[in-house]
Amino acid sequence: MDFSLSEEEQSVRDWVRTFVRKEIQPLEQEVLRRERANQPGLTHDVLVELQDKAKASGFWGVQTPEEYGGMGLGAVMSALLEAELGRSFVQFRFGGYADNILYHANDEQKQRYLLPTLSGERRSCFAITEPGAGSDARAIRTSARQDGTDWIINGEKTFITGGNEADFTMVFAVTDKEKGANGGVTCFLVDRDQGWRSEYIDTMGEWGPAALVFEDVRVPKENILGEVGRGFELAMKWIGRGRYMLPARALGACERLVEMAVEHANTRVTFGESIANRQAIQWMIADSAVEIEALRWLVLHAAWVVDQGGDSRHVQSIAKLYGGQKANEIVDRVLQIHGGMGYTRELPVERWYRELRLLRIYEGTDEIQRRTIARNILKGHASISGTLG
Amino acid sequence: MPNIVVLVKQVPDTYSERRLSDSDHTLDRDSADAVLDEINERAVEEALLIKEAQGGEVTVLSVGPDRATEAIRKALSMGADKAVHVSDPALHGSCVIQTSKVIAAAVGKVDGVDLVIAGNEATDGRSGAVPAILAELLGYPQLTHARKVVIEGTTIKVTRETDEGLTHLEASLPAVVSVGEKINEPRYPSFKGIMAAKKKPVETLTVADLGIDAGEVGLASATSTVVEAAPKPPRAAGQKVEDEGDGGAKIAEYLVGQKLI
């Protein structure tokens, strides 16, 4: 059993580590300042500048197939990179990304949507969640009815990541009420100028998702992604595109947070002694170290199963659930170790504290992950002995 | 088309806590992350810039433990063509003169060297002496602390920057150049470069391969050793200046007292 990185994996990982240290972390104070003034921490211009810099070294389109100019990296390598990016709270991501389902577009749609998204000229958002359909995505009510060769969409979507900035959406609507999710949901590519509008949703995090409103939005049949009635399969494909990446990012955050806690514990003196000598602090550090170690291998194992091409849903759910739970416990401990300073807005700890809370909710709540895991075990789809059987 | 050798060194990351070992006061390599010294990245960058403009070949040369292959790979992933790695347990604790002798012998293993580029001072040892000693041993002119390097045929022109000012130097190749912090901004290795680095040739040599007796190198016969080391004392508490409308004057007074202004 080899737990070491290959030479390439180490070099690529180190490249990102250096990039984060030299290019991203120096922006942190300014990003904090801007976020606290209710502005986007990283402006689009600065993001693009950083992405171009990375692209000049070939770091572009991490998982984008090489035929589209991407790096075409596997899941393990991607998870390693994501963990490094997670070491800063600055919302940097490499350029050259497009939603996986856009690769299912026909040639003409690829020209209009996929390629401009990869190049950064266009920005997408994935819209399935509704006020009455979150974890229960099958309950969506947004509808599309046929009118000649056009379709007319009505309904409301909510908590749409990137919905405020997107200039087109992949929206899921019921086209056959009888069939519902079993052949009655269709995915439409809809440009913002075709008539939908977005409304900003304020959250406890630094940036908000959007509500999308569709009122008699008319789109031609050329805007159907895939086939009529086959939308739910696409939606599941999008949702399953890489759940392991979320705890991977949290892993990097936890590493950085505990490094901060260690530094603080070693320098903070109370009652004439460093707090690092206090057992209460030592136990918090120890528990965090154990959990980070466990999280690291859960994430990398899930990614490894993805690379092996097996059914990875079970292991991805385990990594996502554990990552969400433990990242929140760890950031809470790190805040506690920092005492009053941790609660202030001088340090980014409270910011991470709020951000990481989302990990237990989006892209499958803790409860949904537990449901998936329990069902797999109880029905015998997964072994309690894990991958080793 | 200059044939360039770049000296690189793996050093403890300046971002981590660096220590000397308790037993023999040599560098405790396990106590910190190891990286390619940043000044060496600039040396590699300068070699690559010359190669890109004039052609030629860039060979990376490192004297260090097996682990130093990581630093060599980084230089290769930036775009160097091949590498020579001198690795031998006998080298442990070698002084600058011993190290320079080993480097000189290893440079001799590379055919037709026109130029040796080094960083002017490593962030760990900080002796800053190797480039000069090496030039002496090789019988090459030394152009140290370079801020700018220009090669015209068999002539090299260097702008040296020191605290005293700028000096313009000129010499014939082959020569030894050491570069300073301001020489250039080193590139990030490219993804393709990282992938290609693995396939580039790295020749690993022992001191015996260089015709040097193991007894001539290492701590036992070193011309200089560290006999004692103590960690830097923690910073003492600063002096607080209360601003009662005269804060500026008080700060100026303090700075004058410290002979800082």
Side-chain angles (χ1 to χ4, degrees), chain A residues 125-319:
Chain A
C125 66
F126 172 88
I128 190 160
T129 300
E130 296 181 6
S135 296
D136 184 11
R138 290 171 166 268
I140 61 168
R141 290 168 62 186
T142 294
S143 68
R145 69 181 158 83
Q146 206 161 5
D147 182 35
T149 59
D150 292 346
W151 292 78
I152 294 166
I153 304 173
N154 277 290
E156 190 184 340
K157 298 290 178 182
T158 193
F159 298 132
I160 307 305
T161 305
N164 300 298
E165 301 82 20
D167 65 271
F168 77 94
T169 179
M170 299 158 278
V171 66
F172 293 82
V174 178
T175 45
D176 186 334
K177 214 171 174 183
E178 297 283 294
K179 292 182 184 165
N182 301 317
V185 171
T186 303
C187 177
F188 295 87
L189 295 160
V190 192
D191 294 6
R192 187 182 283 267
D193 61 19
Q194 284 175 312
W196 58 269
R197 66 172 200 276
S198 61
E199 289 163 7
Y200 186 84
I201 301 171
D202 213 0
T203 66
M204 71 188 265
E206 253 72 22
W207 66 97
L212 307 189
V213 181
F214 294 81
E215 284 168 352
D216 291 331
V217 174
R218 178 180 288 269
V219 292
K221 66 179 191 317
E222 286 74 24
N223 284 38
I224 291 170
L225 181 63
E227 294 170 35
V228 173
R230 305 285 295 271
F232 208 74
E233 293 158 54
L234 287 176
M236 289 303 108
K237 196 163 253 169
W238 188 91
I239 290 167
R241 76 202 179 288
R243 194 163 267 165
Y244 62 94
M245 292 290 265
L246 303 169
R249 192 138 187 151
L251 168 66
C254 289
E255 288 178 6
R256 177 96 182 277
L257 281 161
V258 174
E259 282 170 11
M260 288 172 62
V262 166
E263 197 184 333
H264 185 75
N266 277 325
T267 49
R268 173 71 173 163
V269 173
T270 57
F271 306 105
E273 206 175 339
S274 155
I275 63 167
N277 293 337
R278 311 280 180 207
Q279 193 179 46
I281 303 296
Q282 290 171 354
W283 285 29
M284 287 197 266
I285 301 282
D287 289 347
S288 301
V290 171
E291 287 160 8
I292 286 174
E293 191 68 27
L295 175 58
R296 177 175 303 119
W297 296 113
L298 284 179
V299 166
L300 290 176
H301 174 254
W304 176 81
V305 174
V306 171
D307 279 341
Q308 301 304 306
D311 187 341
S312 61
R313 285 174 294 184
H314 185 68
V315 288
Q316 291 209 61
S317 284
I318 289 177

Side-chain angles (χ1 to χ4, degrees), chain B residues 87-150:
Chain B
S87 178
D88 198 317
L91 288 163
H92 175 79
S94 291
C95 65
V96 283
I97 294 176
Q98 291 169 322
T99 305
S100 302
K101 281 181 180 168
V102 171
I103 294 172
V107 169
K109 289 274 178 186
V110 182
D111 288 335
V113 175
D114 298 299
L115 183 60
V116 178
I117 305 183
N120 60 4
E121 179 182 285
T123 49
D124 56 352
R126 301 202 59 186
S127 72
V130 167
I133 299 172
L134 178 67
E136 187 69 23
L137 291 170
L138 291 170
Y140 292 176
Q142 48 167 304
L143 303 93
T144 52
H145 295 271
R147 184 178 177 154
K148 191 179 171 200
V149 177
V150 177

Side-chain angles (χ1 to χ4, degrees), chain A residues 373-382:
Chain A
I373 295 163
R375 278 186 180 177
N376 287 338
I377 296 291
L378 290 168
K379 291 185 177 174
H381 300 317

